[in-house]
Amino acid sequence: MKKFLRRFFMILKWLLIVLAAIIVLFLIVRFIGQRIYDRTPEGGINETLYVDINGTKQWISIYGQDKDNPVLLYLHGGPGSSTSLYDYAFTRKWSDVYTVVTWDQRNCGKSYSPDQNDTTLTYDLMMSDGVEMTKYLLDYLGKDKITLLGHSWGTYFGCNLILEYPEYYECYIGTGQLVDFYQNEIAFKEEAAKWVGNDEEGRRLLEKLNIDDFSTEYYMARNALMEKYGYHMLVDGTDYNLIAAQIFNPYYSIGDFIKYISSDFSVYEEFLQSDEFGKFSLLGKTDYQVPFYNINGDRDYQTNYLIAQDYFDLVNAPRKKMYMMEDTTHGLLESKSEEFSAIIHEIAQAEHQGR
């Protein structure tokens, strides 16, 4: 028995030594990778900071290869779905033509704080956050106007900001364009019924889509349908290593990862089901005073690309153009970041020739 215990503890000791060595090696590699991605381009900018917005601390990163470039503010989706875990991996692909600002909107990502969980989100509050952040960037970066690029919920948010405050913006770019949430969900259920056909499992999921009750069960069934029939965001994977992007993220400490994982999203779930969220609908709002661009996937039913196309046709703007990425779902920023970046460069060239 003593021999067995001695042998057991010896094996355990070596296992712990090996585990410790692996952890140390991981931390060293992560540290080196973070330092590489934390470099500031010569003549450029690489900053992170918390901005005081309406009584809260909201986190932004600013990265660009030339400080003289125009500024682009990226609005993530959700609402409340911060992408700061990895979004530097695709937004930096535009940093040669734009100074790119990524923003974790209130109470999500690196802007999350439990003391905000009792705050009721409203249309006016979110709009106030948006215009205050815009004004801050104009002043901080010394610009007269900026470009907005929104994804999913970010398109809802971005369009309303530009419609309400056109004096602060020079261009709008929407991807995964959302036009009207309620209309979008009706269209999703109709499309999903075509995928399901006579499949019993699919029919059971379809029955859970109660358009008048956007509960957790609703979204679980919705996501399961997209997963089952090949329409989910990352059906094509990513064209960069998503895991490596998170490991080497220069902006995230271990504590930030823990905070991200443990965040309470109930305040955004309530917002999504509220009448306040419905106020962002773009139905009947089609007159833009800035150029209007859309980049959508032709297999995107999370935000229905056909509804987005119909809305685009109605838009009045100084210039407008629709880019339709073939065989692409809602995760085009991750799955086809290179193709997306090429479109951003084309837009930048069209908008800023002669600068």
Side-chain angles (χ1 to χ4, degrees), residues 28-72:
I28 290 172
V29 172
R30 171 174 150 77
F31 177 81
I32 294 171
Q34 284 185 302
R35 298 292 77 74
I36 291 172
Y37 286 110
D38 200 31
R39 293 173 178 168
T40 300
E42 185 176 350
I45 186 171
N46 181 17
E47 296 182 8
T48 64
L49 60 153
Y50 282 89
V51 183
D52 292 323
I53 301 290
N54 291 324
T56 65
K57 300 285 187 182
Q58 300 190 21
W59 181 87
I60 60 172
S61 72
I62 307 172
Y63 187 92
Q65 297 179 34
D66 185 342
K67 291 180 181 179
D68 293 331
N69 277 340
V71 172
L72 180 149

Side-chain angles (χ1 to χ4, degrees), residues 178-197:
L178 181 59
V179 177
D180 178 79
F181 182 67
Y182 195 80
Q183 187 183 83
N184 189 77
E185 297 312 295
I186 292 173
F188 177 84
K189 188 171 184 178
E190 291 174 352
E191 185 62 32
K194 299 176 187 176
W195 311 338
V196 167

Side-chain angles (χ1 to χ4, degrees), residues 137-157:
L137 293 173
L138 292 173
D139 179 65
Y140 188 74
L141 296 172
K143 302 295 182 180
D144 295 323
K145 296 185 178 185
I146 64 174
T147 289
L148 284 186
L149 190 160
H151 176 240
S152 197
W153 145 254
T155 67
Y156 232 22
F157 192 15

Side-chain angles (χ1 to χ4, degrees), residues 176-324:
Q177 181 69 48
L178 181 59
V179 177
D180 178 79
F181 182 67
Y182 195 80
Q183 187 183 83
N184 189 77
E185 297 312 295
I186 292 173
F188 177 84
K189 188 171 184 178
E190 291 174 352
E191 185 62 32
K194 299 176 187 176
W195 311 338
V196 167
N198 294 319
D199 179 20
E200 285 300 320
E201 182 184 355
R203 290 170 74 88
R204 285 194 295 272
L205 289 170
L206 200 62
E207 289 171 0
K208 295 179 180 180
L209 298 186
N210 181 355
I211 303 299
D212 293 317
D213 180 18
F214 298 121
S215 62
T216 300
E217 184 181 45
Y218 176 94
Y219 289 107
M220 289 178 65
R222 190 183 193 277
N223 292 338
L225 283 163
M226 286 191 288
E227 182 81 29
K228 181 175 175 61
Y229 298 104
Y231 291 94
H232 64 92
M233 279 188 63
L234 298 182
V235 65
D236 297 319
T238 60
D239 61 1
Y240 59 88
N241 192 311
L242 190 59
I243 300 300
Q246 294 178 62
I247 291 172
F248 299 130
N249 188 328
Y251 308 133
Y252 263 69
S253 66
I254 300 299
D256 289 328
F257 280 111
I258 293 171
K259 184 172 76 170
Y260 187 96
I261 293 169
S262 61
S263 297
D264 180 356
F265 293 104
S266 59
V267 67
Y268 275 105
E269 291 171 359
E270 292 170 5
F271 177 52
L272 193 58
Q273 297 180 52
S274 70
D275 292 339
E276 292 297 315
F277 186 74
K279 293 179 182 179
F280 284 91
S281 173
L282 299 176
L283 295 179
K285 305 174 185 177
T286 56
D287 294 327
Y288 290 81
Q289 296 182 40
V290 305
F292 185 99
Y293 294 91
N294 265 185
I295 310 169
N296 295 317
D298 66 355
R299 299 180 75 246
D300 186 353
Y301 294 101
Q302 187 157 330
T303 51
N304 192 292
Y305 79 96
L306 295 171
I307 296 176
Q309 179 67 65
D310 289 342
Y311 179 75
F312 177 85
D313 292 341
L314 295 173
V315 163
N316 298 309
R319 290 179 296 283
K320 67 177 185 175
K321 186 170 183 178
M322 168 71 79
Y323 295 87
M324 195 65 70

